[in-house]
Amino acid sequence: MRGDGDTPALLELDGVGKSFGGVAAVADLSFAVPTGSVMGLMGPNGAGKTTVINLITGLLGFDRGHIRFDGAEIGGAAAHRIAARGIARTYQNVRLFSGMTALEQVLAGGFLRRGTSLIASFLGTPASRAARARSLAEARHLLDRVRLAHRADVLAETLSYGEQRRIEIARALGAHPRLLLLDEPTAGMNAAESAAIGGLVHELRDAGLTVLMVEHNVRLVTDFCDHVAVMSFGRKLTEGTPAACLAHPEVQAAYFGRSGDAERIRALR
Amino acid sequence: MLADLWAAYQSSVGFAMVNVFFALSTYAVLSAGVLSFASVSYAAFGGFIGAQLVLNTGISPLLALPVSAVAGALLAYAVALLFLRLDGHWMALASLALVLMTRVVVLNAPTLTGGVNGLSLPVDLSLATLTVLLLLLMLVFHRLSGSWYGIAVRAVREDPAVAASLGMPARRLQTIAFVISGAVGGAGGMLLAAMLQFISPDTYFINIAFTMIAAVVLGGSYHWAGAVAGAFVFTALPVVMQAVLPQIQDVANGAALLAIMVFLPRGLIDPRAWRLRHAR
């Protein structure tokens, strides 16, 4: 499977299915995220978008199908191994570590790039101290990138919601992922903050990162996504450019509840 | 006057220091998100092996100490392999079962443990030596908490799923925590044996489990210094109460412990509270 045009896919879902006690949360889902693109995953609440993120990152196992990252099957692998392959994520409800400062959160995100062993780090060998200094400098740089350098030593849980979301993005970037999964990165943000997140996502894409973004904000999706897949009731409704997807009648119905609501409800019965 | 006071209480200071070993052994795993009572078993294993080594070869207890630590670490590694697959509560219960089993095993292995009669260990452990060992131990925990291991285990404790998505192998980090806990517990068991100069199946039993959990809860389980402070307070409190309020010492002791838990639910040493204050 390929992404749009000639770009090879970095991530491919192929017939993925996941049921919770007989209820299909995700059914026969296939799509591909082209390398170096920003892909949007849309759909009404309960469509299964977050479940998809959880399946990709190994937080949940799936029942059928394949998930391939850079051509290799990652289905069934442990979450920390999937992360080590180069997939990082944020969470729909911010999940920062309690009791850690903003800087420590981002340092934790750099775990995979610690570049020193436990023994060396414990003994404080020159090499481990250099690695530590590099990690710290990098964490500060990432905080700066999300414009929170001035908050480095503040307990992250005391920051505003928008700031916490940005720390989560910085933490996810700490491992230098190749694929970043953003689960509603602008939820609870105002228009200016949302646009800033969109701008950051473009910067990251231009630096070579591939992004898959679950997003409700139609404006953000049209402005910042190269490609969109729309889900409804665990299935893919359609896929294509943002404009084409939003114009699709079933998307209009499923997402905005505008046209043909009555037939739709009748069809479901 | 001061010399008398010191003479009266120096053994309490010694026991407080040994209790720090047990408290830090518990803290080591708790800091990685695992509640385990198994430190008692590491202490028994390290204590009896160290005591036998001293009795059979005549080496100084200080030389036996590393052997006790290694013995404790090996036992802890086995415990981690067997028990870490269990979820929280079950892990704690299984470790409690291990403590109960330990006593039975100790009773029924007289060649190693002396059985019901226990073992006499005529050695001398000075308070100065104990102080140096304790400072070394604190240095170890200070270094650990400042290394990437310190941040990683905190992450695993706070949210294992998020930690895994950052590439942290939770199970492996917790296994390392167990090995550290075992080494510290095994060493503590040997030091207790040297302090008491006599060990029996009852030396390493529920009372130690109670002491170390209370010390960590009291002192705070979010910083290694909490375990140190907790062990000292928990050991000193009954002694102080006996001196100050001899008629109602048990009630006063209980009331003081309750007061600390009610008013400082995260313990005496709470880095998060400091940071919150710092943030204002």
Side-chain angles (χ1 to χ4, degrees):
Chain A
M1 198 194 286
R2 306 214 111 184
D4 56 11
D6 290 332
T7 330
L10 182 62
L11 180 79
E12 291 170 68
L13 277 75
D14 184 2
V16 173
K18 168 72 181 174
S19 300
F20 293 106
V23 179
V26 173
D28 194 27
L29 185 71
S30 301
F31 66 80
V33 185
T35 305
S37 71
V38 177
M39 177 149 174
L41 189 58
M42 294 182 75
N45 283 323
K49 306 179 299 290
T50 296
T51 304
V52 170
I53 303 271
N54 288 339
L55 297 179
I56 296 168
T57 52
L59 204 61
L60 288 174
F62 47 94
D63 310 326
R64 61 187 68 83
H66 302 277
I67 298 181
R68 281 182 287 269
F69 180 68
D70 203 14
E73 177 78 44
I74 56 168
H80 71 271
R81 295 200 192 283
I82 292 175
R85 281 170 178 267
I87 300 183
R89 68 171 293 181
T90 65
Y91 296 83
Q92 189 177 356
N93 312 305
V94 178
R95 281 169 80 170
L96 293 173
F97 300 118
S98 170
M100 286 194 195
T101 63
L103 185 68
E104 284 171 338
Q105 311 273 353
V106 185
L107 265 177
F111 175 82
L112 284 166
R113 292 171 45 80
R114 62 194 181 279
T116 169
S117 73
L118 173 56
I119 303 284
S121 163
F122 173 73
L123 294 175
T125 61
S128 84
R129 265 182 282 155
R132 173 89 179 166
R134 265 201 308 280
S135 298
L136 262 172
E138 174 143 342
R140 287 191 186 283
H141 170 74
L142 284 170
L143 272 182
D144 190 40
R145 191 148 190 190
V146 295
R147 290 178 309 289
L148 283 171
H150 60 296
R151 298 293 217 175
D153 297 319
V154 178
L155 208 55
E157 61 218 77
T158 63
L159 296 177
S160 78
Y161 192 62
E163 288 172 322
Q164 292 191 20
R165 283 207 167 276
R166 273 142 63 198
I167 289 174
E168 222 185 27
I169 293 176
R171 181 179 71 181
L173 293 173
H176 283 204
R178 292 164 65 200
L179 174 67
L180 178 63
L181 310 171
L182 299 173
D183 197 350
E184 298 195 22
T186 66
M189 287 187 178
N190 63 32
E193 286 174 321
S194 300
I197 292 289
L200 175 66
V201 166
H202 265 187
E203 269 175 42
L204 294 170
R205 181 197 60 187
D206 295 342
L209 193 68
T210 305
V211 179
L212 174 64
M213 169 158 88
V214 169
E215 188 53 70
H216 274 307
N217 185 330
V218 174
R219 174 99 190 252
L220 204 75
V221 170
T222 33
D223 285 357
F224 293 104
C225 291
D226 305 311
H227 191 79
V228 176
V230 186
M231 288 179 72
S232 179
F233 294 101
R235 293 174 181 278
K236 186 174 77 181
L237 268 185
T238 183
E239 191 182 343
T241 63
C245 282
L246 289 169
H248 194 283
E250 272 194 82
V251 174
Q252 296 261 318
Y255 204 75
F256 303 104
R258 259 187 224 151
S259 65
D261 260 355
E263 288 111 347
R264 188 176 172 74
I265 291 165
R266 227 173 289 129
L268 282 171
R269 279 188 180 144
Chain B
M1 167 64 193
L2 219 61
D4 287 351
L5 207 65
W6 177 240
Y9 291 119
Q10 65 167 317
S11 80
S12 294
V13 174
F15 281 115
M17 290 192 200
V18 173
N19 283 339
V20 171
F21 277 74
F22 297 133
L24 279 174
S25 173
T26 305
Y27 168 81
V29 282
L30 200 57
S31 65
V34 182
L35 175 61
S36 161
F37 298 93
S39 298
V40 179
S41 304
Y42 316 147
F45 198 44
F48 281 108
I49 284 188
Q52 285 290 0
L53 200 63
V54 171
L55 290 174
N56 288 321
T57 64
I59 59 167
S60 114
L62 276 183
L63 287 176
L65 198 61
V67 178
S68 298
V70 170
L74 287 174
L75 179 61
Y77 182 63
V79 170
L81 289 186
L82 283 172
F83 288 1
L84 264 183
R85 66 192 71 200
L86 301 174
D87 277 340
H89 308 77
W90 300 111
M91 168 75 224
L93 278 177
S95 71
L96 207 53
L98 187 73
V99 175
L100 301 180
M101 274 167 58
T102 302
R103 186 167 177 277
V104 179
V105 171
V106 168
L107 271 172
N108 291 290
T111 35
L112 175 66
T113 66
V116 210
N117 299 322
L119 289 178
S120 284
L121 192 65
V123 294
D124 216 14
L125 180 68
S126 76
L127 218 47
T129 312
L130 203 50
T131 308
V132 171
L133 290 172
L134 182 59
L135 289 175
L136 276 175
L137 182 70
M138 286 161 68
L139 180 67
V140 167
F141 274 82
H142 171 69
R143 300 283 320 180
L144 279 173
S145 74
S147 71
W148 57 257
Y149 168 85
I151 277 206
V153 288
R154 274 165 72 195
V156 168
R157 175 190 193 169
E158 291 299 334
D159 195 331
V162 173
S165 80
L166 298 175
M168 295 171 182
R171 194 69 68 79
R172 194 156 82 218
L173 288 164
Q174 288 174 334
T175 304
I176 296 173
F178 264 82
V179 169
I180 294 168
S181 169
V184 177
M190 177 62 207
L191 292 175
L192 184 62
M195 279 279 296
L196 294 169
Q197 302 187 342
F198 170 76
I199 49 177
S200 75
D202 290 327
T203 308
Y204 305 103
F205 202 45
I206 297 294
N207 52 331
I208 294 187
F210 181 64
T211 304
M212 66 200 191
I213 295 289
V216 173
V217 170
L218 208 65
S221 60
Y222 294 89
H223 193 285
W224 59 265
V228 178
F232 270 94
V233 170
F234 189 75
T235 316
L237 212 53
V239 182
V240 171
M241 289 304 172
Q242 196 186 20
V244 183
L245 296 164
Q247 302 88 342
I248 53 158
Q249 57 157 310
D250 285 341
V251 177
N253 193 24
L257 292 179
L258 276 176
I260 295 177
M261 280 185 241
V262 169
F263 294 108
L264 295 167
R266 285 171 61 102
L268 296 168
I269 310 247
D270 180 8
R272 186 169 164 273
W274 297 343
R275 286 169 163 180
L276 279 174
R277 243 170 276 145
H278 171 78
R280 274 184 209 133

